[in-house]
Amino acid sequence: MCRYRLPAIPPPHTLHGGANGFHKKLWHVRRLMGLPHATGAELTLTSPDGDEGFPGTLHVSVRYILDDTNRLTLQYRATTDKPTVVNLTNHTYFNLNGEGSGSVENHHLHINADHFTPTDAASIPTGKLADVSNTPFDFRTAHSIAQHLRDTNPQLLAAHGYDQNWAINGYDGKTLRPAATLTDPASGRVLTVLTTLPGLQVYTANGLNGAYAGTSGRIYRQTDAVALETQFYPDAPNHPNFPSATLRPGVVYTHTTVFAFGTDSTTQTP
């Protein structure tokens, strides 16, 4: 058995790919030509064997395609020459009422998930798949983010808000299916998230503390946005019952996530 030592970011665990994760790398970009009713770009990156302690030379590409129906499609692809762990996601923050408009607590959220992966005090999944019924994590019927945000639930207390992974229903590794719908009653804007991935991390910007300001000149604070991160479950390599995030030579990692924008009078379909 081979052992690999990864940087402890933050100690004693590894988050976001280490100290110099892919979000800090310089990617190559090329315009995608010939797309019908759409425009797009492909970003490519080669992560050498041993990068941030991970084994294998990993070739990664992400295609961003925006079409004329207001759908932003992200197509992920990766190959490796050694068994390694791959879990690519997008950490965009959303506020459907506009940048600098304040809290998203009144946004309504629906999550297509009967279970979530509870975490320990260090925010590491315990390995259990917990039923969302009768918990603050039941978004099977859409309701405001605020409705249970301040419940005295140990998971919410530890994370200072929502920062959990939901097990999206219907995962088979290839089918694009609805994961979540976010609606802003004030503006009428709607975001529907579709993915082939098994999980969705919902993060209510709990770490924003007023240290940053946006283009409006207003500072960002907790709940001023929400991230909807499609992914494999966190800590998947340590839980055999979770969908595997291991990529092996000869296998192509290929997954798709769609962010479909509309209004409350628009029906979003896969």
Side-chain angles (χ1 to χ4, degrees):
M1 176 184 294
C2 295
R3 292 184 178 273
Y4 298 92
R5 184 174 295 277
L6 308 180
I9 307 292
H13 307 292
T14 298
L15 182 66
H16 296 161
N20 191 30
F22 288 1
H23 60 300
K24 296 182 178 180
K25 304 287 191 184
L26 183 63
W27 294 63
H28 295 280
V29 182
R30 73 177 182 91
R31 182 180 177 182
L32 295 173
M33 307 298 292
L35 297 175
H37 306 289
T39 188
E42 181 182 60
L43 282 67
T44 57
L45 175 72
T46 296
S47 175
D49 186 17
D51 186 15
E52 292 298 303
F54 289 90
T57 299
L58 189 72
H59 297 284
V60 184
S61 70
V62 185
R63 289 187 169 193
Y64 291 81
I65 300 173
L66 178 64
D67 66 29
D68 58 10
T69 64
N70 299 317
R71 293 161 64 100
L72 177 63
T73 298
L74 279 61
Q75 298 173 342
Y76 300 99
R77 189 180 190 277
T79 58
T80 184
D81 60 2
K82 292 181 181 178
T84 193
V85 175
V86 183
N87 194 4
L88 305 174
T89 190
N90 179 279
H91 202 299
T92 297
Y93 286 101
F94 294 102
N95 185 323
L96 298 182
N97 201 27
E99 189 277 324
S101 62
S103 177
V104 296
E105 290 187 33
N106 290 330
H107 283 34
H108 286 210
L109 179 63
H110 167 261
I111 303 175
N112 178 29
D114 298 329
H115 298 86
F116 75 106
T117 55
T119 59
D120 62 20
S123 299
I124 302 300
T126 63
K128 296 180 180 179
L129 284 174
D131 193 324
V132 299
S133 300
N134 301 312
T135 75
F137 309 102
D138 190 351
F139 284 90
R140 291 175 296 184
T141 299
H143 59 75
S144 71
I145 292 173
Q147 183 167 322
H148 295 291
L149 184 63
R150 289 170 174 78
D151 286 11
T152 54
N153 180 282
Q155 297 284 302
L156 296 176
L157 288 168
H160 303 158
Y162 285 108
D163 189 12
Q164 283 77 29
N165 170 75
W166 275 258
I168 303 305
N169 296 334
Y171 173 67
D172 62 7
K174 59 184 179 181
T175 301
L176 189 67
R177 67 216 190 281
T181 301
L182 184 69
T183 304
D184 173 35
S187 66
R189 298 186 183 107
V190 178
L191 167 61
T192 300
V193 183
L194 309 137
T195 191
T196 60
L197 286 156
L200 178 75
Q201 190 84 13
V202 176
Y203 177 57
T204 48
N206 311 327
L208 295 182
N209 59 7
Y212 302 97
T215 55
S216 65
R218 301 189 66 186
I219 61 174
Y220 293 151
R221 294 197 177 277
Q222 287 181 326
T223 75
D224 277 359
V226 60
L228 304 169
E229 307 164 59
T230 59
Q231 61 180 7
F232 281 96
Y233 305 167
D235 203 33
N238 295 313
H239 303 292
N241 57 315
F242 285 3
S244 176
T246 298
L247 179 66
R248 301 185 183 281
V251 178
V252 179
Y253 175 105
T254 176
H255 283 286
T256 299
T257 293
V258 176
F259 297 108
F261 297 89
T263 66
D264 56 9
S265 62
T266 302
T267 301
Q268 303 288 352
T269 56

